Amino acid sequence: MSRGRSDEKATQQVSFPPVALGALRCPHCLSPFTQPGRSLKCETGHSFDLARQGYVNLLGSGVGDTKEMVAARFDFLAAGHYAPLARLVAHEAARDLRRDGLVVDAGTGTGYYLGAVLARAHASTGLGMDTSTAALRRAARAHPAIGAVVWDLWRPWPLQDQSADVIMNIFAPRNLAESHRVLRPEGTLLVVTPDSTHLAELRDHLEMLNVDADKLTRLDSSLQSQFSLTGRHDCEIELTLTPQDVHRIVHMGPNAYHVPPTALDAIQSSLTVTAAFVVSVYRREA
């Protein structure tokens, strides 16, 4: 009896959300998928196994953020440091999601923000794409309605035309042509970027990467032919970071490759810093 329940539970853990499955297409032949058992198969015979954590690797390889970077990000976000940003993202994304709609998180990482959206939009489904298998192991479990896919955002996406209500791009590469193709008419593209003042106090102590002050201007310019700006919101969060928090915030992104360990070791007490973000909301034009 107990073994039967365990087998049933294991099967449920690798079930791909139906709405997300319906939006996917085979990267080889562009055919739709079905899910017989624990794999996704297209009508021409291409098959992709679901990992036991629930994600599917359509890329055939996995690169991107390392296991250590993903663990640092997961722990930092789980502590609630960026919860105000998650609430703002969820508010903006959820109001443009139709019932039974799909939100695609391009560069989902651990699925933290996508999970926040789905917690607010209960009848919707999420599909998160990332190149990091380590991140998608977490993302697939961030919410029951998330389908997680290993994919390179610079390649044509394995998604049907006009299949998404909302596409989120949070600190990730932006493939604007694919975003336009995959969004439904007048769908929403939500982009989160760091403000030029983001973590400025921490940069006084560490040689971290700078944020381009012209980022928003360049973003709007790149989008203007296919999207129109409908809203922009600043989000500033005052944080008190312990030395362990500082270690995590450095190692959860590309700064991990630039800040020497000796500089981190020199921080022995808590620091008060300001996290500053800009949430830009665009509407897909015809």
Side-chain angles (χ1 to χ4, degrees):
M1 179 73 70
S2 61
R3 179 167 183 177
R5 289 177 180 172
S6 297
D7 290 344
E8 181 181 355
K9 184 177 181 181
T11 301
Q12 291 174 347
Q13 287 176 337
V14 294
S15 177
F16 210 81
V19 172
L21 180 64
L24 283 177
R25 65 184 188 182
C26 177
H28 299 303
C29 64
L30 307 185
S31 299
F33 281 116
T34 58
Q35 185 188 343
R38 298 189 183 186
S39 62
L40 305 188
K41 292 186 178 181
C42 74
E43 58 190 18
T44 61
H46 300 115
S47 180
F48 302 87
D49 291 336
L50 283 168
R52 61 183 177 84
Q53 296 90 349
Y55 69 89
V56 61
N57 191 337
L58 299 183
L59 190 60
S61 61
V63 289
D65 292 344
T66 65
K67 181 170 61 176
E68 293 75 20
M69 292 170 71
V70 170
R73 184 181 308 155
F74 180 85
D75 291 340
F76 184 85
L77 294 174
H81 295 300
Y82 286 176
L85 175 61
R87 288 193 293 269
L88 177 56
V89 166
H91 172 77
E92 290 299 318
R95 68 181 183 179
D96 290 328
L97 273 167
R98 298 173 295 181
R99 185 173 181 83
D100 299 324
L102 179 70
V103 53
V104 172
D105 191 2
T108 192
T110 63
Y112 175 73
Y113 299 100
L114 184 55
V117 173
L118 296 175
R120 186 180 182 102
H122 304 291
S124 298
T125 299
L127 191 145
M129 295 187 293
D130 207 286
T131 56
S132 170
T133 56
L136 290 181
R137 291 188 188 105
R138 309 264 191 175
R141 294 177 171 179
H143 191 280
I146 289 178
V149 178
V150 179
W151 194 250
D152 180 354
L153 296 181
W154 292 121
R155 297 189 183 191
W157 295 356
L159 293 170
Q160 306 287 350
D161 292 356
Q162 300 183 9
S163 56
D165 293 88
V166 175
I167 292 177
M168 302 196 308
N169 184 273
I170 303 175
F171 320 126
R174 288 179 290 277
N175 187 329
L176 302 182
E178 285 299 278
S179 295
H180 188 270
R181 179 184 67 81
V182 169
L183 269 178
R184 65 173 173 82
E186 297 190 347
T188 295
L189 174 64
L190 192 152
V191 180
V192 180
T193 53
D195 184 77
S196 59
T197 61
H198 180 56
L199 303 179
E201 302 92 340
L202 192 55
R203 291 200 206 103
D204 291 339
H205 297 267
L206 303 171
E207 294 183 8
M208 298 174 64
L209 296 172
N210 289 320
V211 179
D212 185 357
D214 295 327
K215 180 180 286 288
L216 288 180
T217 300
R218 290 189 291 104
L219 175 64
D220 289 344
S221 177
S222 67
L223 288 165
Q224 64 183 359
S225 63
Q226 296 178 306
F227 298 87
S228 58
L229 181 68
T230 61
R232 177 159 282 157
H233 311 278
D234 295 323
C235 179
E236 289 193 357
I237 312 167
E238 186 174 292
L239 302 172
T240 300
L241 302 181
T242 66
Q244 185 179 43
D245 291 329
V246 172
H247 184 277
R248 287 170 176 164
I249 204 171
V250 167
H251 283 89
M252 65 191 249
N255 282 301
Y257 302 111
H258 298 275
V259 177
T262 52
L264 282 173
D265 293 340
I267 297 179
Q268 297 292 321
S269 58
S270 295
L271 298 175
T272 299
V273 305
T274 302
F277 310 99
V278 181
V279 178
S280 301
V281 184
Y282 300 88
R283 183 181 65 243
R284 179 193 187 273
E285 300 294 344

